[in-house]
Amino acid sequence: MDLAPEHAIIAKGVVKTFRKKGRRKYGIGPKITPDELIYAVNGVDLTVRRGELFGLLGPNGAGKTTLVKCLSTLLLPNKGTAIISGHDIINDPIAARECIGITTGGERTLYWKLSGRDNLRYFAALYGLSSEEADRRISYLMKIMGLEDRQYERIEKYSTGMRQKVSISRALIHDPPVLLLDEPTLGLDPSFSRFIRSFIKKDLNQKQKKTIILTTHYMDEADQLCDRIAIMNEGKIVAVDTPEVLKRRIPQDEVLEVRCLGHADFSGIGQRVYADSVEGVTIYRIHAENVEDIMSQVIQAAHSAKILSMNVTKPTLEDVFIHLTGARLTGEDNEQ
Amino acid sequence: MDLFPSTSRILRYLRGMNAENVKEWKIELTYRADFIRGMLEPLIFVFPFVLFAMSLMGGRTSSVLEGLTGVSDGITYTIIGYIFMGFLNTAVWGMGFALRKEQWYGTLESIFVAPVPRWVYVLGMALHSTVHQGIILFFQILVVYVLFGVILNVQGVLPVLVFIALMLISLVGLGLMVSGLALIFKEGWIVSEVLYSLITIVTPIAYPLAVLPPLLQKISLTMPTTYAITGIRHFLIDENMGVGLLDSYSRLIIIGVCWIITGLLIFQIVDRKVRREGTLAEY
Ligand SMILES: Nc1ncnc2c1ncn2[C@@H]1O[C@H](COP(=O)(O)OP(=O)(O)O)[C@@H](O)[C@H]1O
Ligand SMILES: [Mg+2]
């Protein structure tokens, strides 16, 4: 049955397309041409080892959620399939679902009129737990999540972070070997984010040896948590490796990070320049073998743009992402 | 489709159905005012029917009705027909909206990743709505007994329960059809409304089959509610049955099986369509 016991998740050539909005509402109308399709997932191959914490990193719209939904049998791929803990998601979706715990984004995925405990009791029954088993499991989960005091209150009275803790508890209710966590820290306060990240890494991955796919668009989160990262862009995986090896793909050792008010033209300085802007401040990351050599050039080229700060840093996964996908390249045509 | 599930899976499906039923009660009881309204409304709806019948007949009894059905008491005739049709409500609104409601809550994807087939939720909802309707029915009988002095043959209860159970087979089929369609049509309530009206028109609730135009009479004979309502009235107030008892039971079973199969087919088609097009999370 289990052909590759060391692999908990194997995806083979997964393609998932959607129709652009407003087309052929009730399945009638002219035939759909390929350019009217969105290739949300465009031929993804993936293997995740047992016990691995695997990151799917990519910007909004990269196709992370769609891929996770395909793996969890919520969506039917147009092409390809996946094997989860030895079960084919297309031939035996029920067996695959038995092995998966999943958190999909959004706060509305729980019953707001029911208490945290009642929510978990309901899902426990769907996963086949007897009521004694469910009680034991729920008490344990509520305890490690620090929700014991609030477990009899309705979800509508919970904060976003508490709801996310209940969602994660629900994913764990049947103690599945595989977890699919879609943006688990999205929109959370820093203290909740910190708790959830450390829970995923220390408890779920290191102690309980769960196989985890975690999607995120936070570069730091992927960097800190994941054993391996797949960088995803426009439905494709453009690179898979450990964070260290990925960062080494950028040949330079040093990055000069320059924060400016307004725009400056740093093209031609150093090896390459990446720009991004946050709340009116433009951040240039200039890669060079030795940043000291380029300092004076940078100050000259800044002209009218007011330099707020300069920092010497190491390449980050963000630089790797830009390097691989070509998105947001150089000062002028920075897409913000 | 998983045609021969293992015993552990079947056990899980049954647990799932029960959990769905319990969850529905819990949610329903949090909306207390709505819950009480839901219980009282059907009682109030009885009166226009009754008064309409009385005004037409110029009183409570009608010899014409007696000639057609063997029952002269038009009030009792209509009321029994009306209150037992309440189960149709549960199919088109309760079961039919089981999944649509999850879509409104935002919980549809959460339940669809659980390792039970989708029809488990509809059957769980069927369990809930049947019990719910049973309670309403009990109060309705109590009220009409007090207000109109309607007396029923108590010894007829057992065959009546069989009629209800057999009618429920078809209604579960109907519930599956509607719940599937309600997932893909934004205006799913129109489907419910249309089916509800069509079925109530051809079912002999307040009038006997004989007054329907010939075409509608033929359609009426394909409806489970026709056999169930006539059979129920036969045992409770001695209406003449046009069709024999065993014949009625077997026709109910045949129609039930057909409706269940149709329901499962529509449900399966819609489920695939929805998983292909990814419209699950929308509402
Ligand atoms: N149900 C849907 N219908 C149409 N387009 C969709 C649907 N779901 C996702 N998409 C599109 O597919 C692409 C990938 O989306 P998604 O998987 O949500 O990306 P991510 O999770 O990485 O942000 C986006 O362009 C998105 O608009
Ligand atoms: Mg997403």
Side-chain angles (χ1 to χ4, degrees):
Chain A
M1 181 81 222
D2 204 336
L3 296 175
E6 75 275 22
H7 289 131
I9 302 168
I10 305 167
K12 291 180 266 189
V14 177
V15 175
K16 182 71 210 166
T17 60
F18 294 114
R19 266 180 223 153
K20 287 195 175 141
K21 287 259 145 44
R23 295 285 304 142
R24 294 209 340 158
K25 211 172 164 194
Y26 293 109
I28 36 184
K31 216 169 155 31
I32 302 166
T33 58
D35 61 311
E36 283 169 330
L37 291 175
I38 300 166
Y39 280 80
V41 174
N42 195 358
V44 164
D45 295 302
L46 204 67
T47 51
V48 181
R49 284 188 287 272
R50 240 169 248 289
E52 193 170 28
L53 207 175
F54 189 91
L56 267 182
L57 174 65
N60 280 331
K64 305 181 296 291
T65 299
T66 306
L67 179 57
V68 164
K69 284 186 180 172
C70 287
L71 294 177
S72 64
T73 78
L74 280 174
L75 288 173
L76 208 56
N78 302 67
K79 283 202 198 112
T81 186
I83 316 283
I84 312 262
S85 286
H87 304 287
D88 191 302
I89 56 163
I90 292 175
N91 296 336
D92 198 353
I94 301 230
R97 284 186 232 148
E98 284 168 11
C99 306
I100 300 173
I102 175 172
T103 61
T104 49
E107 293 187 73
R108 286 268 164 199
T109 61
L110 297 162
Y111 297 96
W112 280 34
K113 291 286 168 194
L114 299 183
S115 67
R117 197 171 180 98
D118 278 345
N119 264 281
L120 294 180
R121 286 189 68 94
Y122 170 64
F123 286 102
L126 295 183
Y127 283 90
L129 274 68
S130 71
S131 69
E132 302 82 58
E133 285 170 320
D135 273 334
R136 227 176 304 127
R137 185 80 184 146
I138 295 167
S139 297
Y140 162 77
L141 289 167
M142 285 297 188
K143 191 165 170 211
I144 49 173
M145 289 293 175
L147 289 174
E148 275 174 311
D149 302 342
R150 308 284 301 272
Q151 57 179 316
Y152 295 105
E153 279 176 47
R154 286 188 200 165
I155 295 290
E156 62 188 353
K157 297 192 179 145
Y158 285 20
S159 69
T160 308
M162 290 165 68
R163 286 181 198 132
Q164 183 63 348
K165 285 180 170 181
V166 179
S167 294
I168 293 179
S169 304
R170 177 187 54 205
L172 293 170
I173 196 83
H174 56 306
D175 203 11
V178 171
L179 289 167
L180 306 175
L181 307 175
D182 193 13
E183 310 247 13
T185 61
L186 187 69
L188 299 189
D189 291 344
S191 69
F192 276 106
S193 287
R194 231 174 296 125
F195 174 87
I196 303 265
R197 281 178 193 167
S198 121
F199 180 73
I200 292 170
K201 181 82 187 168
K202 296 218 180 79
D203 287 77
L204 296 180
N205 184 238
Q206 289 172 349
K207 253 190 238 153
Q208 303 184 30
K209 307 275 184 257
K210 303 273 186 214
T211 307
I212 303 171
I213 289 188
L214 172 145
T215 83
T216 183
H217 67 275
Y218 300 127
M219 313 278 166
D220 292 344
E221 186 166 284
D223 197 358
Q224 286 166 21
L225 296 183
C226 300
D227 302 324
R228 279 196 307 153
I229 294 171
I231 293 183
M232 203 169 173
N233 190 43
E234 295 178 350
K236 291 198 161 112
I237 289 180
V238 291
V240 190
D241 225 314
T242 62
E244 294 68 35
V245 173
L246 284 173
K247 280 182 276 187
R248 250 184 274 137
R249 286 205 175 189
I250 301 218
Q252 280 70 35
D253 297 337
E254 293 184 326
V255 176
L256 182 66
E257 189 180 271
V258 186
R259 291 169 175 263
C260 292
L261 275 181
H263 293 280
D265 182 9
F266 295 136
S267 53
I269 302 178
Q271 301 293 321
R272 60 184 72 74
V273 184
Y274 303 135
D276 194 359
S277 70
V278 180
E279 289 161 11
V281 177
T282 316
I283 305 162
Y284 295 93
R285 295 177 64 79
I286 306 166
H287 293 235
E289 276 168 35
N290 187 344
V291 290
E292 270 160 38
D293 299 346
I294 59 165
M295 286 277 198
S296 56
Q297 277 175 282
V298 166
I299 292 166
Q300 261 181 9
H303 297 292
S304 55
K306 187 174 175 231
I307 294 180
L308 299 173
S309 68
M310 292 210 279
N311 280 317
V312 182
T313 63
K314 292 269 174 204
T316 63
L317 279 177
E318 175 130 38
D319 299 315
V320 180
F321 180 77
I322 297 166
H323 176 66
L324 287 168
T325 63
R328 293 190 309 214
L329 243 146
T330 69
E332 279 81 46
D333 45 32
N334 121 50
E335 284 181 50
Q336 270 294 313
Chain B
M1 214 156 81
D2 192 7
L3 282 180
F4 303 102
S6 64
T7 26
S8 72
R9 277 192 186 179
I10 290 172
L11 182 67
R12 183 167 70 219
Y13 300 170
L14 292 174
R15 280 213 174 103
M17 278 177 220
N18 182 50
E20 181 69 21
N21 171 32
V22 171
K23 177 198 78 187
E24 228 16 76
W25 279 111
K26 280 180 185 162
I27 293 179
E28 208 166 62
L29 289 169
T30 61
Y31 296 96
R32 284 204 194 93
D34 258 1
F35 182 73
I36 293 168
R37 187 181 58 88
M39 285 282 170
L40 290 181
E41 224 168 45
L43 297 175
I44 296 163
F45 281 164
V46 179
F47 295 116
F49 269 82
V50 172
L51 298 174
F52 179 64
M54 280 176 98
S55 65
L56 281 189
M57 295 185 300
R60 187 160 170 159
T61 55
S62 151
S63 53
V64 180
L65 188 67
E66 182 161 19
L68 288 170
T69 67
V71 180
S72 63
D73 180 356
I75 300 302
T76 309
Y77 184 88
T78 306
I79 285 176
I80 300 292
Y82 169 74
I83 59 182
F84 282 91
M85 277 303 274
F87 285 102
L88 181 64
N89 264 318
T90 66
V92 295
W93 299 111
M95 288 177 240
F97 277 69
L99 297 177
R100 183 61 187 209
K101 213 153 65 177
E102 302 286 336
Q103 215 170 14
W104 280 323
Y105 295 152
T107 46
L108 193 64
E109 292 194 335
S110 313
I111 65 173
F112 275 10
V113 293
V116 295
R118 277 67 154 129
W119 49 258
V120 163
Y121 305 107
V122 184
L123 288 196
M125 196 65 179
L127 200 60
H128 169 266
S129 352
T130 305
V131 176
H132 194 278
Q133 190 59 32
I135 296 171
I136 291 178
L137 186 80
F138 176 78
F139 281 116
Q140 283 178 325
I141 290 177
L142 213 64
V143 168
V144 294
Y145 169 73
V146 171
L147 289 184
F148 299 104
V150 167
I151 308 281
L152 309 173
N153 304 335
V154 180
Q155 69 274 23
V157 165
L158 224 68
V160 164
L161 288 179
V162 176
F163 269 114
I164 294 176
L166 294 181
M167 172 170 70
L168 283 173
I169 302 176
S170 303
L171 293 184
V172 167
L174 185 66
L176 283 166
M177 293 179 219
V178 178
S179 62
L181 294 174
L183 274 189
I184 51 170
F185 293 114
K186 284 225 158 65
E187 301 83 7
W189 59 272
I190 295 177
V191 177
S192 292
E193 200 73 81
V194 168
L195 287 173
Y196 183 81
S197 309
L198 284 180
I199 295 171
T200 41
I201 286 171
V202 297
T203 301
I205 303 171
Y207 39 78
L209 203 65
V211 306
L212 284 174
L215 177 68
L216 290 187
Q217 282 194 30
K218 287 224 171 62
I219 298 175
S220 182
L221 286 175
T222 65
M223 292 293 155
T225 44
T226 302
Y227 299 100
I229 296 297
T230 313
I232 288 166
R233 264 194 310 238
H234 172 74
F235 284 102
L236 293 182
I237 57 170
D238 303 317
E239 175 176 9
N240 296 334
M241 275 169 84
V243 185
L245 181 63
L246 281 183
D247 212 7
S248 294
Y249 281 161
S250 43
R251 286 190 196 190
L252 272 174
I253 291 171
I254 292 167
I255 297 169
V257 170
C258 292
W259 284 28
I260 289 264
I261 291 173
T262 314
L264 281 174
L265 277 178
I266 292 183
F267 201 68
Q268 204 69 5
I269 291 167
V270 166
D271 182 46
R272 278 189 82 81
K273 180 179 156 68
V274 157
R275 287 207 294 149
R276 260 203 308 268
E277 297 181 4
T279 45
L280 270 182
E282 292 170 20
Y283 54 93

